[in-house]
Amino acid sequence: MYDAIYARQSIEKVDSISVESQIDFCSYETRGGKYKKYIDKGFSGKNTNRPAFEEMLKDVEKGLIKRVIVYKLDRISRSILDFSNMMEVFQKYHVEFVSSTEKFDTSTPIGRAMLNICIVFAQLERETIQKRVADAYYSRSKKGFYMGGRIPYGFSLKETVINGVKTAKYEPVEDEIEQIKIMYSIYSQPAKTLGDVLRYFSAHDIKHLRGKVWCTARISELLRNPIYVKADSEIYEFYKNQGSDVINDAADFVGENACYLYKGETDNRKQYSLENKHLVLAPHKGIISSTEWLKCRMKCINNRQVATSHKAKNSWLVGKVKCGNCGYALVVRKSDRRRKTIVRYFVCSHKTSSGLCDGCGTVRADDLENFMFESIKNKLADFKVLTGTSEHIFDPKINEYKIKLSQINKEIDELLKKVITANSVLMQYINEHIEKLDEERKQISEKLISLSKESTDTDISAITDYISHWDETSLEDKILVVDALIKVIHIADGKIEITWKI
């Protein structure tokens, strides 16, 4: 049997003791006797998933080791549970444990108690360090500093100084940026899919300039990243509504700089959720207009919502049709009714599952599809002006009004919070001030309406092409057309109410 000297070092630092020095200290405890070294270099002490440590435990179980010597307790473990399990194994095989700098004797109850106390403080120290690192990360990220990680496609990194602190920021790489712009331009069109972007790149031999291969997952990731957007009030409101913590004031979102999106301290672990993430304006300029970026981002969100486990197979209206009585979705059922042909009809899912809704009556799928097809054609005919795509031009006046509206709403909310504790004098002031703010809000809203004569950016030519060849159009493409034009269809008591997107 022999002594085992265990040494561990996670990272080589000037102020940390090296593995060699640890072994030198521990070798004094052997008094010239036989020993074997077990070394884990580059491994953390937060768990026991370390090759040399596992090898040592196997040798303990084989009865080869009589004593384990370490330089310091935290070299072998920083977890109370792991340390306790390790000591149980040592006691089972009658192996002594020695910390050369802390002089613990595990053969006595007081020695074992002192070991447990020390391991508690070792774990506390590790958790405290982790908290400090996390706090520093969140503090720096909220100031717009570069926080490391993979450099996004379209940018390179350049050193800079922000508020006297050395950091870095992104600089555009023109060739890559042009590819990003093409992606957004194609995908922002209502009838286009990620597959269309991929096929366009393949047809025009547009290669990934960093040696990788384009795929829909990678393109989707780029289309969701706010690192490319010219962030204005629309972006501010979008992330607010999604539950994100927006660090900068609404007035800072003027349609110039892009954004960083970071994980929050209580971050939602769902990949596509924006809840509890925090958004901060980045020091570099955006390259994609907020209108185009939001169109792509909303399509990504809608795609996630529509892509359920039961994809639409029986009708291109599935997912858009709701019961006008309960609001639940209408689903397609089939019945042959002892006929040669199968009859499809829509039923209220709430009625069929629980019986708590009277339903919306009998709605034959064929009849509803024919009605909606004619409604779509009539709706498109109303838009005579829309004969192609039109580029949205950023109007600073519109953005200015939207920012002002956001500030007024915030001010009204702050005043309303004071109502509970207000006396009669303060209440009079609050009422008068809210009336003035409300009047100002109405005036700004009217100005916004008169200015908001923007094009819908809808590629009508692409949609009308699908409409003119509707019988030959695939079910997937029909769904895309409907999703581009219609928000929801409510049916109840023989009445059909369509909420359009255009």
Side-chain angles (χ1 to χ4, degrees), residues 345-405:
Y345 58 95
F346 281 97
V347 296
C348 173
S349 58
H350 193 33
K351 179 181 180 180
T352 57
S353 62
S354 66
L356 298 177
C357 176
D358 294 333
C360 56
T362 302
V363 182
R364 290 174 64 107
D366 288 339
D367 294 341
L368 182 59
E369 287 174 350
N370 291 333
F371 173 81
M372 288 307 305
F373 177 68
E374 293 300 323
S375 298
I376 289 172
K377 285 202 301 184
N378 294 334
K379 188 68 174 178
L380 292 176
D382 292 339
F383 287 83
K384 298 176 182 178
V385 184
L386 302 179
T387 55
T389 58
S390 56
E391 183 69 21
H392 170 72
I393 300 173
F394 175 72
D395 188 340
K397 199 67 179 175
I398 290 177
N399 196 52
E400 180 185 328
Y401 284 147
K402 288 179 179 178
I403 290 171
K404 186 63 178 174
L405 270 180

Side-chain angles (χ1 to χ4, degrees), residues 13-30:
K13 296 188 294 186
V14 176
D15 58 345
S16 68
I17 186 166
S18 66
V19 165
E20 291 75 17
S21 298
Q22 292 178 46
I23 293 172
D24 287 341
F25 270 97
C26 295
S27 63
Y28 292 129
E29 298 290 337
T30 66

Side-chain angles (χ1 to χ4, degrees), residues 6 38 40 47-61:
Y6 181 80
Y38 297 86
D40 278 318
N47 56 51
T48 56
N49 298 326
R50 292 166 258 150
F53 179 85
E54 292 173 353
E55 181 189 353
M56 182 180 70
L57 282 186
K58 289 178 182 178
D59 289 345
V60 166
E61 293 170 354

Side-chain angles (χ1 to χ4, degrees), residues 2 13 15 24 30 79 99 184 186 191 252 261 298 314 385 396 405 414 431 434:
Y2 53 80
K13 296 188 294 186
D15 58 345
D24 287 341
T30 66
S79 164
S99 172
Y184 277 91
I186 295 173
D252 296 331
L261 184 66
M298 292 308 296
N314 301 318
V385 184
L405 270 180
E414 291 298 322
N431 286 332
I434 286 179

Side-chain angles (χ1 to χ4, degrees), residues 139-140 143-147 158-169 283:
S139 176
R140 285 179 61 86
K143 294 174 183 176
F145 295 150
Y146 172 68
M147 300 305 297
K158 178 187 177 183
E159 291 185 358
T160 189
V161 176
I162 299 177
N163 296 330
V165 178
K166 287 185 178 180
T167 181
K169 72 173 186 177

